[in-house]
């Protein structure tokens, strides 16, 4: 504008410089202004008459785009650090959480109240599970190298130094070089091109240009200038709470991620599905969100908690060490669950962790009045099945059903117990280790031996404590479980019926019957201690679950090998009225439940709909081919049926034709064919699958992906671990939850 010779603007600029001199005398910004002004030849600046045509044309020819935009303060956004193995990534908080962090200075609840950020410490702490605190930053400047996939935020002090950008913008002076004590150099080429050059540890003397030192980093100012997806904030209202129990091992998927990470994925999928399939209900305020919380029991069984890892390691062979370590850390959990000692530890850990999370959630969400459900994956589903089977209703508790809460032996103290046994001389030894009756019941003989207690007293102590620890029916060598989950009464191995059995095929049937009787001789309802189902006490949950969802569950297999042949159709969990058995068709660990309730009918499982509202393409093609085949078959059978009816009418007047009809009928019967059956007889009657899920279907199967259908064996392991990222599974849970709340489901248009 000065060059265009506008006299008013020129004089105004001089006044601004004088004012700046008075206010910011000696500052770097003032010096920059003076330096800039020195370049202007004040005497040569023409004072042109405003009415002059040349001045008018000069003003009209001014390129307004060349005028730099005024400086604006950068808008900060808060990020948190996530470290996985050797990789470090910075992820943004939602805009809602970032605004809260910007405006508050103490502790801020973020990520759906699952984390607390201590703002002054710049640390993020998990609320519901054990996790190392993560770093938090207030971010304004970001960088990315050639090999980086995303921008990383600078430390806050470095970002503050980069705000010298204000001088370049204000003075429109670019190609400025900012040097830092660490040796880094940042060059402000222009508002859209800012580069950082890293120092080299060793460099030749002739290298002078920063561009010759190393590959530069691209630098961006403000989160709006980088390609990062800022998550939407989660609805504050929680409609339903779901606890998710993992299966064997510390990892839950093929990427060896923990239960926490897998549940995070499942929660994210559910939030996305709520936004797409319950959009109108969300807009009307009917729908908030479903909270999913992980239940981790593996760490309580392994490590220093029980010492079992050290014991197992002593007997582990040294060969193929990695495979044996995998076995010890994962597959042994199945054997631990069949051990009386460790099964009690697992069940107590799962129930206490669920109750702890439930109490903590209620404290942080005092307005929550929704229902609670549970999910179990693999072995976790069996743990929940046994736990729910042994829950008590309020009436049973009031009627004095014999039960023992965890940690209760008797009213006797340790001193009274040892006095009764005549072993009071060992009181000081046990008290020195802080042992009471409860912890004494968990001790092994070897542990008491290490304390210097002789064999005789050790046996007396362990025998007494464990007898008092077991429930009444265990003292007689039997375990009582819920009626309804039991095998039918067994026939005697020998009887008059067996003696009178004829030879031949009947004799083979008799041998099969005796073999089957021997296999089924152990009644599921009553087991000898140490055989079949283990003898433990099941603690009580602090709530009644609304629904139990089993993912990739071996429940059916475990019930079968325990001796259970049939589940009573009238049986239900005492405190949970809904049960879904969800599995992938190629899952090698999953088993069905419905055939144990309805054994007389070959009932296909319910196909879980695709979350996009259709079957997968290859399944639709298969169904189309099947329908074509059935239509062709029905047309052929229809023609044959008409011909057969005409043939049958002719047979009434001819003995030879009657004999021919009889022969044809025998052949049709031997080939398993049906021609003259009416359509009404072919319709399958409605099947009732008992009350385990309130009379509704129990077994639900996922649709395999097209690539999975090429090789079932190749995707078998993956199929057992697919549920955490399955949108179809998540949508089934949401439909069950919100159907009970009376919220309409919406299938979005594709």
């Amino acid at each position: 504008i000065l060059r265009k010779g506008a006299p008013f603007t020129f004089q105004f600029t001089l006044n601004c410089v004088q004012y700046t001199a008075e206010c910011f005398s000696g500052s770097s910004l003032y010096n920059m202004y003076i330096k800039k002004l020195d370049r202007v030849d004040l005497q040569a600046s023409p004072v042109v008459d405003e009415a002059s045509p040349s001045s008018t044309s000069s003003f009209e020819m001014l390129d307004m785009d060349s005028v730099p935009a005024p400086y604006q303060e950068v808008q900060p956004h808060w990020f948190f650090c996530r470290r996985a193995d050797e990789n470090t990534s910075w992820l943004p908080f939602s805009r809602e959480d970032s605004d809260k962090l910007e405006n508050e200075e103490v502790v801020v609840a973020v990520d759906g109240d699952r984390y607390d950020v201590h703002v002054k410490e710049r640390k993020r702490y998990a609320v519901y599970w054990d996790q190392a605190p993560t770093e938090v930053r207030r971010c304004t400047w970001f960088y990315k190298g050639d090999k980086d996939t995303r921008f990383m935020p600078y430390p806050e002090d470095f970002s503050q130094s980069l705000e010298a950008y204000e001088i370049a913008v204000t003075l429109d002076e670019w190609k400025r070089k900012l040097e830092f004590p660490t040796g880094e150099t940042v060059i402000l080429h222009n508002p859209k091109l800012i580069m950082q050059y890293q120092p080299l540890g060793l460099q030749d003397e002739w290298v002078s240009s920063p561009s010759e030192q190393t590959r530069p980093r691209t630098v961006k100012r403000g989160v709006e200038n980088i390609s990062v997806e800022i998550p939407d904030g989660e609805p504050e209202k929680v409609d339903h709470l779901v606890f998710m129990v993992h299966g064997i091992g510390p990892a839950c998927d093929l990427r060896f991620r923990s239960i926490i990470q897998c549940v995070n994925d499942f929660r994210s999928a559910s939030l996305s599905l709520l936004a797409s399939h319950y959009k109108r209900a969300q807009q009307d305020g009917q729908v908030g969100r479903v909270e999913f919380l992980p239940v981790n029991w593996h760490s309580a069984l392994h490590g220093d908690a029980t010492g079992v890892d050290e014991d197992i390691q002593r007997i582990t062979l040294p060969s193929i060490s990695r495979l044996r370590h995998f076995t010890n850390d994962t597959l042994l959990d199945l054997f631990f669950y069949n051990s009386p000692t460790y099964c009690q530890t697992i069940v107590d850990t799962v129930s206490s962790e669920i109750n702890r999370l439930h109490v903590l959630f209620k404290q942080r969400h005092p307005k929550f009045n929704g229902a609670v459900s549970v999910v179990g994956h693999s072995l976790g589903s069996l743990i929940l099945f046994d736990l729910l089977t042994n829950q008590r209703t309020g009436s049973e508790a009031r009627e004095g059903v014999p039960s023992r809460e965890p940690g209760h032996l008797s009213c006797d103290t340790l001193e009274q117990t040892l006095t009764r046994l005549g072993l009071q001389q060992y009181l000081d030894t046990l008290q020195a280790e802080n042992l009471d009756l409860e912890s004494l019941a968990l001790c092994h003989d070897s542990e008491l031996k290490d304390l210097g207690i002789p064999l005789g007293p050790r046996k007396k102590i362990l025998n007494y404590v464990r007898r008092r620890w077991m429930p009444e029916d265990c003292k007689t060598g039997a375990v009582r479980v819920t009626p309804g989950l039991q095998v039918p009464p067994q026939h005697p191995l020998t009887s008059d019926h067996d003696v009178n059995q004829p030879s031949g095929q009947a004799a083979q049937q008799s041998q099969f019957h005796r073999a089957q009787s021997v296999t089924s001789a152990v009644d599921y309802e009553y087991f000898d201690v140490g055989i079949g189902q283990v003898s433990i006490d099941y603690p009580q949950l602090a709530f009644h679950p609304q629904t139990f969802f089993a993912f990739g569950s071996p429940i059916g297999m475990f019930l079968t090998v325990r001796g259970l042949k049939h589940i009573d159709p009238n049986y239900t969990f005492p405190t949970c009225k809904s049960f879904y058995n969800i599995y992938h068709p190629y899952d090698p660990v999953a088993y069905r439940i419905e055939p144990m309730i309805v054994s007389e009918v070959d009932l296909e499982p319910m196909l879980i709909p695709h979350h996009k509202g259709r079957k997968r393409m290859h399944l639709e093609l298969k169904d189309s081919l099947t329908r074509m085949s059935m239509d062709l078959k029905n047309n052929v059978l229809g023609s044959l049926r008409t011909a057969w009816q005409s043939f049958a009418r002719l047979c009434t007047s001819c003995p030879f034709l009657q004999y021919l009809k009889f022969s044809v009928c025998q052949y049709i019967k031997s080939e398993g064919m049906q021609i003259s059956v009416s359509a009404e007889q072919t319709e399958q009657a409605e099947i009732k699958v008992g009350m385990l899920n309130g009379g509704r279907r129990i077994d639900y199967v996922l649709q395999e992906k097209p690539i999975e259908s090429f090789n079932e064996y190749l995707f078998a392991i993956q199929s057992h671990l697919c549920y955490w990222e399955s949108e179809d599974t998540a949508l089934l849970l949401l439909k069950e939850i919100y159907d009970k709340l009376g919220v309409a489901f919406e299938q979005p248009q594709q």
Side-chain angles (χ1 to χ4, degrees):
I1 295 177
L2 290 176
R3 285 195 297 270
K4 295 300 180 181
F8 173 78
T9 305
F10 178 73
Q11 185 61 44
F12 177 76
T13 303
L14 293 179
N15 294 338
C16 289
V17 171
Q18 293 174 359
Y19 179 77
T20 304
E22 296 174 1
C23 298
F24 305 103
S25 179
S27 67
S28 59
L29 181 62
Y30 168 73
N31 294 333
M32 290 294 178
Y33 271 111
I34 294 301
K35 184 178 179 181
K36 183 75 172 178
L37 194 61
D38 288 343
R39 299 196 185 109
V40 180
D41 186 357
L42 301 181
Q43 301 299 327
S45 300
V47 179
V48 185
D49 184 14
E50 295 182 8
S52 171
S54 61
S55 66
T56 304
S57 61
S58 298
F59 181 78
E60 290 176 351
M61 291 172 62
L62 179 64
D63 184 6
M64 299 303 295
D65 292 337
S66 65
V67 178
Y71 171 80
Q72 295 181 349
E73 291 188 3
V74 63
Q75 295 298 319
H77 196 92
W78 290 73
F79 282 66
F80 65 92
C81 180
R82 185 175 68 186
R83 290 184 172 87
D85 298 329
E86 299 180 355
N87 298 324
T88 300
S89 58
W90 286 85
L91 303 176
F93 288 99
S94 67
R95 297 193 185 276
E96 181 182 352
D97 287 343
S98 182
D99 291 341
K100 289 192 297 183
L101 292 168
E102 184 69 16
N103 297 323
E104 300 185 25
E105 297 182 353
V106 189
V107 178
V108 179
V110 296
D111 293 335
D113 270 7
R114 294 181 296 276
Y115 290 89
D116 284 337
V117 172
H118 294 223
V119 180
K120 292 184 178 180
E121 299 178 19
R122 295 296 198 264
K123 295 291 184 181
R124 171 176 171 262
Y125 295 89
V127 173
Y128 295 104
W129 50 80
D130 292 332
Q131 182 178 326
T134 55
E135 184 182 354
V136 170
R137 282 183 188 173
R138 181 179 182 268
C139 305
T140 54
W141 286 81
F142 305 85
Y143 69 90
K144 185 178 76 168
D146 288 342
K147 297 182 179 179
D148 296 332
T149 58
R150 63 178 64 186
F151 280 90
M152 301 281 285
Y154 281 111
E156 294 185 36
D157 55 348
F158 196 95
S159 296
Q160 189 173 2
S161 300
L162 287 175
E163 275 304 308
Y165 169 87
E166 175 185 0
I167 300 175
V169 172
T170 305
L171 298 180
D172 193 21
E173 184 178 89
W174 298 98
K175 299 188 182 299
R176 295 183 53 80
K177 182 190 297 184
L178 304 178
E179 296 182 349
F180 295 86
T182 55
E184 286 120 337
T185 302
V186 175
I187 298 181
L188 309 176
H189 294 283
N190 58 58
K192 296 184 178 181
L193 181 60
I194 303 175
M195 307 299 291
Q196 176 193 356
Y197 300 90
Q198 298 279 22
L200 288 178
L202 297 174
Q203 50 184 315
D204 297 332
E205 295 181 356
W206 56 269
V207 176
S208 59
S209 173
S211 61
E212 296 175 333
Q213 295 178 13
T214 182
R215 286 184 176 274
R217 289 174 171 175
T218 302
V219 181
K220 295 293 183 180
R221 180 176 184 263
V223 71
E224 65 275 4
N225 292 319
I226 65 174
S227 56
V228 60
E229 183 178 354
I230 299 178
D232 298 328
E234 298 182 18
E236 182 178 356
K237 178 188 173 186
V238 178
D239 303 319
H240 199 89
L241 175 61
V242 180
F243 297 112
M244 310 190 82
V245 182
H246 67 83
I248 61 174
C252 294
D253 65 359
L254 290 178
R255 287 179 280 174
F256 298 99
R257 297 185 304 165
S258 67
I259 177 67
I260 297 171
Q261 295 170 303
C262 291
V263 172
N264 286 344
D265 275 355
F266 197 89
R267 185 188 304 111
S268 298
S270 72
L271 288 171
S272 177
L273 290 169
L274 281 174
S276 59
H277 291 71
Y278 292 88
K279 183 177 181 180
R280 187 175 305 170
Q282 273 194 340
Q283 294 173 347
D284 296 340
Q286 291 180 279
V287 167
R289 64 184 174 93
V290 178
E291 181 60 280
F292 297 89
L293 295 180
V295 179
N296 184 6
W297 56 266
H298 183 268
S299 57
L301 184 65
H302 294 267
D304 297 332
T306 60
V308 65
D309 287 347
E310 183 179 353
D311 296 337
I312 293 295
Q313 189 59 39
R314 286 199 298 266
I315 60 175
T316 301
L317 300 181
S319 59
I320 53 174
S321 58
R322 291 186 179 180
L323 181 58
R324 295 189 192 278
H325 174 74
F326 172 79
T327 301
N328 292 347
D329 206 30
T330 55
L331 299 182
L332 280 182
D333 288 346
L334 292 172
F335 298 99
F336 289 151
Y337 191 68
N338 287 325
S339 162
T341 301
Y342 299 112
C343 181
Q344 187 71 63
T345 300
I346 293 173
V347 172
D348 286 346
T349 301
V350 170
S351 59
S352 62
E353 181 69 3
I354 290 177
N355 288 337
R356 182 189 71 84
L357 293 173
H358 183 258
V359 170
L360 186 56
F361 178 84
K362 295 280 285 185
Q363 291 174 351
R364 296 181 68 89
H365 298 82
K367 296 182 180 179
F368 175 75
N369 58 358
V372 184
S373 295
V374 291
V375 169
H377 174 241
S378 190
L379 181 61
S381 65
L382 179 65
I383 298 171
L384 287 175
F385 185 91
D386 289 341
L387 192 62
L388 293 177
T389 298
N390 290 275
Q391 294 296 291
R392 300 191 310 276
T393 60
S395 59
E396 291 175 340
R398 288 191 298 270
E399 293 171 1
V401 175
S403 177
R404 178 191 56 76
E405 295 295 334
H408 176 71
L409 277 172
S410 65
C411 297
D412 292 346
T413 63
L414 178 63
E415 181 178 3
Q416 292 171 334
T417 300
L418 293 178
T419 301
R420 182 178 290 108
L421 297 175
L423 302 174
Q424 58 269 25
Q425 66 269 30
Y426 300 107
L427 178 62
D428 294 338
T429 303
L430 297 177
Q431 287 181 339
E433 300 293 331
N434 292 327
L435 288 173
D436 55 13
L437 288 179
E438 179 182 350
S439 55
L440 192 61
L442 300 175
C443 288
H444 299 284
D445 182 77
S446 60
E447 295 170 331
L448 296 181
K449 182 180 180 181
D450 293 340
L451 297 179
I453 301 177
L455 177 62
R458 295 201 308 267
K459 295 300 182 183
K460 287 184 180 181
I461 293 173
L462 294 176
N463 182 58
Y464 177 81
V465 173
R466 288 174 180 171
R467 279 194 298 108
R468 298 299 298 270
W469 179 266
M470 291 188 298
E472 293 297 325
D473 48 5
C474 292
K475 298 177 184 177
T476 61
V479 179
R480 183 74 170 89
V481 297
T482 305
L485 296 181
Q486 51 191 321
V487 294
Q490 302 299 323
H491 297 288
L493 294 182
T494 59
S495 64
D496 294 339
H497 177 74
D498 295 329
V499 174
N500 298 329
Q501 192 69 256
S503 59
Q505 182 179 359
Q508 294 178 0
Q509 293 176 352
S510 175
Q511 293 175 1
F512 172 77
H513 174 72
R514 286 197 295 270
Q516 186 181 34
S517 298
V518 172
T519 305
S520 307
V522 180
D523 193 331
Y524 179 79
E525 187 174 5
Y526 297 98
F527 283 98
D528 293 335
V529 174
I531 299 176
Q533 189 188 25
V534 296
S535 170
I536 64 170
D537 293 318
Y538 288 94
Q540 302 298 300
L541 296 177
F543 57 90
H544 290 181
Q546 175 176 285
T547 308
F548 168 32
F549 300 95
F551 294 170
S553 173
I555 292 175
M557 182 269 290
F558 269 83
L559 294 182
T560 301
V561 299
R562 287 173 179 177
L564 179 64
K565 297 295 184 183
H566 182 65
I567 297 178
D568 192 326
N570 295 320
Y571 173 73
T572 61
F573 295 121
T575 60
C576 181
K577 303 306 179 185
S578 298
F579 173 45
Y580 288 84
N581 183 40
I582 302 169
Y583 61 92
H584 190 283
Y586 303 155
D587 189 340
V589 180
Y591 291 82
R592 293 192 61 185
I593 297 294
E594 290 176 345
M596 301 187 71
I597 304 174
V598 184
S599 57
E600 64 276 6
V601 179
D602 186 12
L603 193 61
E604 291 292 327
M606 293 291 291
L607 187 67
I608 299 177
H610 193 275
H611 65 280
K612 293 185 178 180
R614 56 172 175 79
K615 282 187 178 181
R616 296 187 185 273
M617 188 175 298
H618 69 290
L619 294 179
E620 289 182 346
L621 178 60
K622 184 189 298 184
D623 289 348
S624 298
L625 294 176
T626 302
R627 283 194 297 269
M628 288 176 59
S629 175
M630 290 299 298
D631 291 342
L632 180 61
K633 179 180 177 181
N634 290 335
N635 290 335
V636 172
L637 290 179
S639 301
L640 288 176
R641 186 178 299 112
T642 302
W644 177 261
Q645 292 172 351
S646 301
F647 176 69
R649 285 193 297 269
L650 292 174
C651 291
T652 56
S653 59
C654 179
F656 173 76
L657 291 179
Q658 289 180 357
Y659 176 77
L660 181 60
K661 175 185 175 183
F662 174 77
S663 301
V664 173
C665 288
Q666 292 296 319
Y667 173 76
I668 291 175
K669 185 177 180 181
S670 65
E671 294 295 326
M673 299 170 59
Q674 287 185 334
I675 294 180
S676 38
V677 178
S678 63
E680 291 77 12
Q681 292 174 326
T682 60
E683 293 181 358
Q684 187 179 23
E686 183 180 357
I687 302 298
K688 296 181 180 179
V689 292
M691 299 305 296
L692 198 54
N693 192 22
R696 297 173 296 174
R697 298 294 302 274
I698 298 173
D699 292 337
Y700 285 78
V701 61
L702 290 166
Q703 302 179 35
E704 72 274 14
K705 298 178 181 178
I707 190 174
E708 294 173 340
S709 62
F710 287 109
N711 193 320
E712 301 176 1
Y713 295 95
L714 183 62
F715 294 94
I717 301 300
Q718 177 180 325
S719 299
H720 182 59
L721 306 173
C722 72
Y723 307 98
W724 305 110
E725 297 179 342
S726 170
E727 294 173 301
D728 298 349
T729 302
L731 186 58
L732 178 62
L733 266 67
L734 294 178
K735 290 175 66 176
E736 165 65 14
I737 290 170
Y738 283 104
D739 281 352
K740 283 184 165 57
L741 294 176
V743 179
F745 169 80
E746 309 166 30
Q747 183 62 54
Q749 298 294 328
Q750 301 299 328

